[in-house]
Amino acid sequence: MGCFEIWALWVMVTIICIHADTSEDGIQAECLGNRVQFTLPSSLSAGSHLEVYAVNNTHTVFLTPHLAAQCGYTQKLDPWGNTIVSASLQSCFAENQGDKVFKVAMQFKLYEITTLSEKVHEVFKTCSHTMISREILCEKNFMEVSVRNALPEIKMEPVKEWPTDIPNLQLWKILLYTPGEKAFQKDTLQAMGYSVYTSPTRLVMRSPFGMAENFIQNVDNVDMIVFKSVVLFRDRWIMTLVESAAACPINGASVEGQMIYWHVPLHITPLVSSEVEILEVHLGVNGRRFTLEEMVNRNYVMTITDSHIIVEIPIGAAYGNYKSHVLNEQYHVSYNIEPVLELLWKEGLDMTSYKVLFPITTPLTSSQLQVKDYTQPKQKVFDVLLGYFLPDVELLNITFVSELLTVSEIINKGILLQEHSFSNNTKAFTLQVPFSDPQVQIKNFRLDVTTYTLPLVFGFAIMPEHTTFAHSIVLEASLADIVLPQAEGSCNEDYFNMYVQYGTTPSSQIKIKLGHMELNNTILQQYQYHSNETHFDIIVPFLSPVVAFESVQLAGIMGRLDVEMYDSLNNWSFREFSLACPFFVKMSECFPNGTITVIIPKLESVPHLHPGELSLRDPACKPYDIEDYFAYFHFNVTSCGTTRKFVGDTMIYENEVTWKKDEPLPQTSENPETEYRFMVSCIYIANATQSMIFQTVSHFKEPYADVGKGELTVSLRLSKDMVYRLFYHDGDFPVVKFLKQPLYFEVGMNQSRDSRIAVVLENCWATLTEDRESKPRWDLIVDGCASPKDPEQTIILPVVADERVDIPDHFKRFEVKTFTFTEDDESSKSENATLARRVFVHCDVAICHAENTADGRCYKKCEAAQNLIGSSSNRVRRSRSFSEEALQHVSIGPILLI
């Protein structure tokens, strides 16, 4: 008809719409015999709170469940969320026109809390119905009997109020049988929850199920709840009574296989006293009768025996519905259907209409949820389907490991989550999660295979009850996507060059062991190395303690570097790699003054050897110095049991470094040797002629210089001893020096004979690589003086003229204590002391005019006088440094320090 607005005091908007029959909003109203049924579509009530009211003229009454059962109303939800309200035509608030025409009006109030609005829908339906002698109605929440009262004809005044008493003959007393007889007043019964209504021609008695005055009677193995009464009317001269009874089945349904069997007694003894004639039997569902064709098409079967009417309904038949349940935290389903059986029988002259609406719910059956994993590991995305659910199940959330996300949060995160509906009225959910999601757990149970795991907990709710349950699944996929780390290497003249490619394992997880030592940041600072996310390379001097020595000869050492890589996260060892190379480095030196030095490494084949236990032939001649893996001998050819023999014009001096266990160890793979011998030989020429150049200079002629152009060059050399007579040549490098041996360096200009020029040491420093700019760097000489950071470690030595040096100003000499290269910081001092150094020494050298007094750069007075011993350089302080263009850069190395 139309809508109008009412403004409530608390700013809630109320919209009232009044409809008849089917409204524009889709509210349906239909007459079903002695009942009327209203259907409120879910589209109107979705998301709103619903209240149902009965309308009586201008008054509305809120229908609580108790009042609804007392007054003849029922309310339920169908599987699609539609609200269905049914009412007896003789319900409390129906308008009755002569017991022939009935008008039932309803009001539906919908509250939207979020918008503070209220919408009201009013609908009514007028139905015509011809009453017979007795009509019995069994609903799911009440039973009702309407009988012709058979009272004498009495002229009556118009009815103005409900309930209405008949003039003169007034309702006096009501007797209920429980089955014993109890007397009640009408007001008392109505206060107890019963309904008593009289009209000029009808008496209506209604009882909710479960009332104390009802009783149960078994009729042909079917329990029936019985409501039996006698109503007494009287005035001063007359009294009459009206009997009424209703009996409704409370059981009789059973399930066998996929079939429901419903037994209803053919002769309901609480309602009949003699043989009856069955005139009509009708079957329907949800209050509506079936035609014979509909029953056949939907496989409904109704059979009448001598004692029962048997209805057969296939589980899953049309007009029924499945319902979701939770039992023991597991998903279950039941099948629900509400058949209606209508009987019409005749007993004597009286006719009885018997209608029973009987909701049937099958026992709960477990519905095994299916998980279909469509994951293709190469796509690196989990793809799973979880089903199948009934439409009343809603997905609320999913817990990813420990993070709970609602459906909207999952979608906002970019994860693909979809709901799929199927033609069989079921649905399922699909979820796609990339392997890269932070919640995906990554493990490697095999070295070359990655296993991706994603534990999920799906949270569901069954509507409209909001019953929650959860289902857990664990997705797992394995992918052979691992490229294992690989190591390779090569050998140079004095070092191993190792290269490691990480593969697909994150570099942060890979730990590398060289020999017995696991690399860390502190240890790596002692080596030349390069590392990034994909690879790692390192230069390892062959005398490093991580190198295993397989054999040693006078010509050199056979060394082996073992590389082990493992995954620190999974504690897995990757493949190992070993590289063995010969290094042709002199391990002994013979000096002209008869001194012999020998460096003896600890061999792998003698694991129990301690370097301090080594000795020469004379057991009293122990190592001059020792480290964990080396022994350093320093002795004279006339001592320690050294022997001499002549071979032609040469003298051969020999000694032997030995080790022998006092108590022999068992011969095992771990103890293969109990003796150790290393022969040392030095060969000297017995008869040799040395030539010497001698030149005199006239004191009577002034020196002069030839006119010409040229470049004066300087060189940096390492002396074999402190007297600077013998030097190492380029072919002698790498040179092996024991850690506590000092190094003697000389910078000289050999080609020039000009005494007016001088060599100046500007800066000298050491590095681990040939690159003079590399780090770390140890300063030896800074601005012409010993490094102020550690002035005692570098000593600037004087240069005097001798048979090799004509012009002392052409040379500069300095001594370096080699442990300078290990004490770079306190935190790593203890570890660094055990590492072999491979160092290069670099110097910045300038040439100045020594006799030009205007140029004061040739000489500098150092603050630490003890570092300059008797040098003629200690004359004046240089006023300024040289420019970069005036400097020459010289380098020497590598020098191996052990």
Side-chain angles (χ1 to χ4, degrees), residues 703-714:
Y704 68 95
D706 293 334
V707 178
K709 294 183 179 180
E711 182 177 347
L712 298 175
T713 60
V714 294

Side-chain angles (χ1 to χ4, degrees), residues 508-760:
S508 59
Q509 289 181 215
I510 295 181
K511 299 297 182 182
I512 300 175
K513 289 181 67 175
L514 296 182
H516 61 277
M517 186 180 298
E518 181 178 307
L519 298 182
N520 54 42
N521 290 335
T522 301
I523 294 176
L524 283 174
Q525 294 305 314
Q526 316 311 313
Y527 294 95
Q528 180 183 352
Y529 77 99
H530 175 74
S531 179
N532 58 27
E533 294 297 319
T534 61
H535 70 277
F536 168 82
D537 61 83
I538 186 171
I539 291 177
V540 181
F542 80 95
L543 290 179
S544 171
V546 299
V547 176
F549 301 115
E550 296 180 345
S551 64
V552 59
Q553 303 293 332
L554 286 174
I557 292 178
M558 176 64 72
R560 188 186 75 249
L561 181 61
D562 298 325
V563 181
E564 179 184 352
M565 298 169 289
Y566 66 95
D567 187 330
S568 60
L569 181 63
N570 298 294
N571 197 27
W572 284 344
S573 178
F574 298 117
R575 62 190 64 169
E576 298 180 358
F577 175 80
S578 294
L579 179 64
C581 302
F583 294 94
F584 302 101
V585 178
K586 294 181 179 179
M587 302 304 292
S588 64
E589 288 189 278
C590 304
F591 295 91
N593 63 357
T595 300
I596 301 175
T597 62
V598 184
I599 295 176
I600 301 295
K602 179 179 178 179
L603 295 183
E604 182 186 40
S605 59
V606 193
H608 293 278
L609 168 65
H610 296 287
E613 298 176 350
L614 292 170
S615 67
L616 296 170
R617 283 175 177 161
D618 183 352
C621 291
K622 294 293 185 180
Y624 180 79
D625 208 343
I626 60 172
E627 291 292 341
D628 291 341
Y629 296 91
F630 297 93
Y632 174 64
F633 288 90
H634 183 282
F635 60 97
N636 193 272
V637 295
T638 61
S639 65
C640 298
T642 306
T643 61
R644 183 184 65 178
K645 63 181 178 180
F646 291 90
V647 178
D649 291 335
T650 63
M651 293 182 297
I652 301 176
Y653 291 90
E654 293 180 338
N655 207 323
E656 190 177 42
V657 179
T658 62
W659 172 78
K660 185 174 183 180
K661 255 310 190 185
D662 295 335
E663 297 179 2
L665 297 171
Q667 291 291 322
T668 65
S669 59
E670 295 183 357
N671 306 307
E673 299 285 347
T674 58
E675 291 188 350
Y676 180 93
R677 295 181 182 275
F678 180 78
M679 185 65 67
V680 180
S681 298
C682 282
I683 301 175
Y684 292 91
I685 298 176
N687 297 310
T689 302
Q690 299 286 339
S691 298
M692 181 177 295
I693 298 176
F694 180 77
Q695 180 178 356
T696 62
V697 179
S698 173
H699 295 283
F700 301 100
K701 294 183 178 180
E702 291 294 327
Y704 68 95
D706 293 334
V707 178
K709 294 183 179 180
E711 182 177 347
L712 298 175
T713 60
V714 294
S715 62
L716 173 62
R717 297 195 296 173
L718 175 63
S719 175
K720 292 185 177 182
D721 53 26
M722 62 184 299
V723 297
Y724 289 90
R725 293 186 180 275
L726 298 175
F727 293 87
Y728 292 101
H729 302 286
D730 291 343
D732 296 329
F733 289 91
V735 173
V736 179
K737 290 294 181 179
F738 205 68
L739 189 62
K740 295 182 181 180
Q741 284 183 272
L743 302 177
Y744 299 98
F745 295 96
E746 179 182 88
V747 176
M749 182 172 55
N750 296 315
Q751 295 84 5
S752 175
R753 310 291 299 173
D754 190 347
S755 61
R756 295 170 297 177
I757 58 178
V759 170
V760 177

Side-chain angles (χ1 to χ4, degrees), residues 249-364:
I250 59 175
N251 55 32
S254 61
V255 176
E256 296 180 16
Q258 293 298 308
M259 191 68 68
I260 298 172
Y261 295 91
W262 180 30
H263 292 71
V264 179
L266 186 60
H267 303 285
I268 305 174
T269 53
L271 304 180
V272 298
S273 57
S274 60
E275 289 294 326
V276 299
E277 180 183 358
I278 303 297
L279 302 178
E280 296 179 14
V281 179
H282 300 280
L283 178 65
V285 172
N286 298 331
R288 300 181 182 90
R289 288 184 182 178
F290 281 150
T291 64
L292 182 59
E293 182 181 6
E294 288 176 326
M295 287 182 58
V296 173
N297 291 339
R298 289 165 176 77
N299 297 318
Y300 286 81
V301 177
M302 184 171 60
T303 305
I304 301 177
T305 67
D306 291 341
S307 59
H308 292 87
I309 300 171
I310 303 174
V311 177
E312 299 178 28
I313 305 172
I315 293 178
Y319 305 115
N321 66 275
Y322 286 95
K323 184 74 180 77
S324 298
H325 304 270
V326 177
L327 179 63
N328 296 329
E329 300 182 0
Q330 299 297 316
Y331 183 58
H332 288 69
V333 298
S334 66
Y335 176 72
N336 305 303
I337 192 167
E338 188 178 66
V340 55
L341 185 64
E342 298 184 45
L343 299 178
L344 180 65
W345 69 72
K346 182 178 181 182
E347 184 179 10
L349 298 177
D350 295 325
M351 305 282 288
T352 297
S353 169
Y354 181 80
K355 179 185 291 187
V356 55
L357 292 92
F358 191 74
I360 298 174
T361 299
T362 61
L364 301 187

